[in-house]
Amino acid sequence: MAFWFPGYTVPDFSSPPLRDAPLVRFAPVERAGVAPDGYHATSIFPEYFHVEPGRWELLRESRMDCVVVQRPGGALDVVEFRRLQVGDRVALGRGENGEDGIYVHAEAFVEDEGRGDKFAFRTRLTRETSFSIDYDEFYDLLRYERDHGFIVWVLGPALVFDRDARDAFCALIHRGYVHGLLAGNALAVHDVEAALFGTALGQEIYSKRLAPLGHYHHLDAINRVRALGSLKAAVAAGVITDGIMHAALRRGIPVVLAGSIRDDGPLPEVVADVYAAQDRMRAVVRRATTIVALATQLHAIATGNMAPSYRVLEDGTVRPVFFYTVDMSEFAVQKLANRGSLTARSLLTNVQDFVVTVERGLRRREAGTEKTL
């Protein structure tokens, strides 16, 4: 059947308790960076604020663990604590069901699939879980989002340690399935190392043979790019001729490389200031309608913290944001949910195999040789 996603259910503000809810209260910031007592902290869910009698305003752009500031013109902005300025009017209230003039719409996209039996086997995600339908739904989602959404990939370096996976992801870029890319220094470094030497951390990405003095390769890759000034300059000069960075830069895809205390080098494009990196990442995430995190626990959590469960489109339509996390570790894929970041759909598998399978599945879909849901 044709791709679809759950419709958005607007709360009934004409019935109690929302009908009788008070207006939301605001209090001024008295010290920069410090919210007033009783502030309301945002969640991943759509949130409405009773700003005038009978008028509830939905936050158009949100993220977890921020506060809501009412601007002089009445607009509501979701603001990180570090951005609060003296005089900003911050929404107050810890109640989430209208008692403080705030309604957190946690079931906006919930579908009733039936409760089923009280006891059942295989209800938790494990290595034995079947993922066939998840792949099929993912193919259909990506094909829809390629033309109607904004797909952000969050990549760990394991992706470029394998030749076929690296080639497959480049194919996804070229065919329009990648609209934004978030990663760290390591992903880019080992991708460039593969382009220059055919290795990642000194090991050939196909044969797995260790290259002589291969432990120098990632440093030589960094040094060569630094000598040219940037990844973009290295691509333009013909020094980097293939790989994920090459494909993304050639297509003008926004790439954010966030720095880490562990970094070698780093590459010139790596954002060393953690809060500047956060701002750059959020600028990409706020456009996202689907996010796919591959084998990168910390980057996945960071991105999940920035991503709400919904997106308000230009025409006012409210749609879900899909979040997938893929890893071999059960702990890693459960960590995001445990952080409260997002109800992520998780697949337990090797990310190299995952990307190769996804690229092949999409290619078959496009060729019409594989049935769709």
Side-chain angles (χ1 to χ4, degrees):
M1 61 183 181
F3 174 79
W4 63 278
F5 49 69
Y8 181 76
T9 303
V10 179
D12 184 1
F13 295 112
S14 65
S15 299
L18 298 182
R19 181 190 63 193
D20 307 315
L23 298 181
V24 62
R25 296 180 298 117
F26 294 87
V29 171
E30 297 181 356
R31 179 181 174 187
V34 180
D37 290 344
Y39 63 83
H40 172 78
T42 52
S43 68
I44 64 169
F45 301 113
E47 298 191 13
Y48 288 85
F49 291 74
H50 196 194
V51 292
E52 294 178 1
R55 185 169 77 85
W56 291 78
E57 185 169 338
L58 171 64
L59 297 177
R60 294 189 66 87
E61 290 188 356
S62 189
R63 63 162 291 185
M64 192 174 74
D65 293 342
C66 290
V67 295
V68 177
V69 172
Q70 186 178 50
R71 299 304 183 190
L76 300 180
D77 284 343
V78 175
V79 177
E80 295 89 347
F81 283 74
R82 62 188 169 91
R83 297 185 185 280
L84 289 174
Q85 300 297 318
V86 173
D88 284 347
R89 300 181 71 243
V90 173
L92 307 180
R94 303 291 170 90
E96 299 180 341
N97 295 302
E99 59 268 46
D100 292 321
I102 300 168
Y103 182 67
V104 178
H105 196 14
E107 298 185 352
F109 301 107
V110 171
E111 298 176 73
D112 184 8
E113 298 181 355
R115 296 185 61 178
D117 297 331
K118 292 182 179 179
F119 174 80
F121 292 110
R122 297 164 61 86
T123 58
R124 294 177 63 87
L125 183 71
T126 72
R127 293 178 181 86
E128 296 179 337
T129 299
S130 167
F131 293 111
S132 295
I133 191 171
D134 298 274
Y135 276 97
D136 284 337
E137 291 175 347
F138 187 60
Y139 300 151
D140 290 340
L141 172 63
L142 288 185
R143 293 190 68 192
Y144 176 86
E145 295 285 67
R146 178 179 59 181
D147 301 319
H148 301 96
F150 193 89
I151 308 168
V152 175
W153 296 75
V154 189
L155 305 182
L159 177 61
V160 296
F161 282 24
D162 176 77
R163 184 196 66 180
D164 288 353
R166 181 170 176 264
D167 290 346
F169 196 82
C170 290
L172 293 178
I173 292 174
H174 290 307
R175 299 215 305 276
Y177 291 107
V178 180
H179 301 145
L181 197 158
L182 308 178
N185 182 60
L187 180 281
V189 167
H190 299 310
D191 180 62
V192 172
E193 180 188 344
L196 298 179
F197 304 108
T199 63
L201 283 177
Q203 185 182 75
E204 293 183 6
I205 61 173
Y206 177 70
S207 70
K208 295 187 286 187
R209 287 193 296 265
L210 295 176
L213 293 177
H215 60 286
Y216 273 99
H217 284 182
H218 75 287
L219 296 174
D220 288 341
I222 293 169
N223 205 43
R224 191 171 302 183
V225 173
R226 289 180 68 87
L228 292 167
S230 67
L231 288 167
K232 186 176 292 187
V235 170
V239 173
I240 300 173
T241 58
D242 63 59
I244 293 172
M245 292 297 104
H246 177 270
L249 292 171
R250 284 291 193 192
R251 287 185 65 91
I253 292 169
V255 176
V256 180
L257 303 176
S260 164
I261 199 167
R262 302 163 295 170
D263 289 344
D264 298 321
L267 291 168
E269 276 89 346
V270 171
V271 184
D273 183 319
V274 65
Y275 296 120
Q278 184 185 100
D279 290 344
R280 293 268 300 277
M281 289 176 66
R282 191 182 181 197
V284 175
V285 170
R286 72 196 329 157
R287 301 170 62 188
T289 54
T290 288
I291 300 169
V292 190
L294 305 182
T296 173
Q297 181 175 309
L298 296 181
H299 265 80
I301 292 171
T303 306
N305 285 0
M306 298 177 190
S309 62
Y310 69 101
R311 177 76 61 233
V312 182
L313 305 181
E314 291 184 5
D315 64 0
T317 300
V318 183
R319 57 150 291 171
V321 172
F322 295 92
F323 199 110
Y324 282 78
T325 177
V326 183
D327 205 290
M328 292 183 70
S329 164
E330 294 176 30
F331 173 80
V333 297
Q334 297 291 356
K335 183 67 173 176
L336 192 64
N338 292 338
R339 285 280 299 160
S341 304
L342 208 64
T343 306
R345 300 190 68 172
S346 301
L347 285 85
L348 280 164
T349 186
N350 180 305
V351 293
Q352 299 162 352
D353 296 339
F354 171 80
V355 170
V356 170
T357 299
V358 167
E359 190 278 329
R360 182 174 60 239
L362 287 169
R363 186 158 25 91
R364 289 175 175 174
R365 285 281 204 275
E366 292 169 0
T369 58
E370 184 174 312
K371 67 180 181 179
T372 60
L373 290 178

